[in-house]
Amino acid sequence: EIVLTQSPATLSLSPGERATFSCRASQSVSSYLAWYQQKPGQAPRLLIYDASNRATGIPARFSGSGSGTDFTLTISSLEPEDFAVYYCQHRSNPETFGQGTKVEIK
Amino acid sequence: EVQLLESGGGLVQPGGSLRLSCAASGFTFSTYAMSWVRQAPGKGLEWVSGISGSGDSTYYVDSVKGRFTISRDNSKNTLYLLMNSLRAEDTAVYYCAKRDQYWYFDLWGRGTLVTVSS
């Protein structure tokens, strides 16, 4: 089973700043990785699929990169609504999620 | 409107059973694989079970194998999760989620809370 490790656990930033966080896989997942955003009390929302493709309706400030075992999600300039928890996920059987990175207001 | 709406959660004693439902609307339900994903209080996401569009293939995380059964009724656009022999560690919000053509979860319901406690 592939394990996804996200870092850091928490990122404290101000609106307008750039956010960068990581997802590392225990073995190669090629480009089969997605990123989700979850706000308190809400369901997750798909942001990025296949490592670098934005899902429908996702703003251009969100970008994903990486392949193999190392992946990055970048938010170029944080908006107030971007403060949330972000999860990476590898499409597999069984499905695996990372433990999440919380982006909080500094 | 494209949406998923879960129901059936609640408080159940350890060893008890519960059946969750997920009503789909706004898309051709039978075309898409579906899954259940849960989130324990204050914790991350855990995939629980999946089913193909036709219902012929089903998948489970090891911790629920033999206790949970996923199924679907494409004539009613509804996904189910029958949960037996429930344990305290099954306490979570259970989300149903639709897989897109790339096999990721592009549509989620709002979730239903299952609490296993005496």
Side-chain angles (χ1 to χ4, degrees):
Chain A
E1 180 180 327
I2 292 174
V3 176
L4 300 177
T5 302
Q6 291 186 240
S7 62
T10 303
L11 202 52
S12 298
L13 295 168
S14 301
E17 288 194 290
R18 181 184 187 89
T20 302
F21 33 96
S22 168
C23 177
R24 176 164 288 178
S26 58
Q27 61 189 82
S28 177
V29 298
S30 185
S31 294
Y32 300 131
L33 191 103
W35 291 93
Y36 298 84
Q37 177 195 66
Q38 188 179 32
K39 298 178 183 178
Q42 296 186 18
R45 176 174 71 145
L46 178 65
L47 298 175
I48 301 288
Y49 66 93
D50 283 348
S52 61
N53 297 289
R54 275 189 301 277
T56 303
I58 301 304
R61 64 181 181 273
F62 291 91
S63 63
S65 63
S67 66
T69 61
D70 291 301
F71 300 86
T72 300
L73 177 67
T74 299
I75 309 172
S76 59
S77 178
L78 282 165
E79 297 287 340
E81 61 267 28
D82 298 338
F83 291 90
V85 180
Y86 293 83
Y87 295 94
C88 57
Q89 177 235 342
H90 170 54
R91 58 170 227 200
S92 59
N93 184 22
E95 301 286 339
T96 52
F97 289 90
Q99 80 279 20
T101 289
K102 181 180 181 181
V103 180
E104 65 178 21
I105 299 176
K106 187 174 181 180
Chain B
E1 182 184 0
V2 178
Q3 66 176 0
L4 299 170
L5 186 61
E6 302 94 338
S7 60
L11 174 63
V12 61
Q13 292 187 340
S17 298
L18 214 52
R19 189 179 82 157
L20 306 183
S21 300
C22 172
S25 59
F27 63 97
T28 307
F29 181 67
S30 60
T31 301
Y32 296 97
M34 300 290 294
S35 279
W36 289 97
V37 178
R38 67 185 177 184
Q39 188 169 35
K43 302 297 184 181
L45 301 169
E46 180 187 32
W47 174 82
V48 173
S49 181
I51 187 167
S52 61
S54 65
D56 289 346
S57 299
T58 58
Y59 312 89
Y60 301 92
V61 68
D62 284 348
S63 60
V64 309
K65 282 180 182 175
R67 300 190 298 124
F68 289 12
T69 303
I70 191 171
S71 62
R72 64 193 296 162
D73 185 336
N74 286 341
S75 69
K76 295 182 178 179
N77 291 343
T78 302
L79 175 72
Y80 302 100
L81 186 68
L82 176 61
M83 303 185 293
N84 294 323
S85 303
L86 282 161
R87 306 166 179 167
E89 54 266 34
D90 296 318
T91 294
V93 174
Y94 284 73
Y95 296 100
C96 69
K98 167 186 166 287
R99 286 191 188 277
D100 64 11
Q101 67 269 38
Y102 303 104
W103 208 246
Y104 298 105
F105 301 120
D106 69 333
L107 180 67
W108 297 66
R110 298 183 68 176
T112 187
L113 176 62
V114 173
T115 303
V116 184
S117 175
S118 54

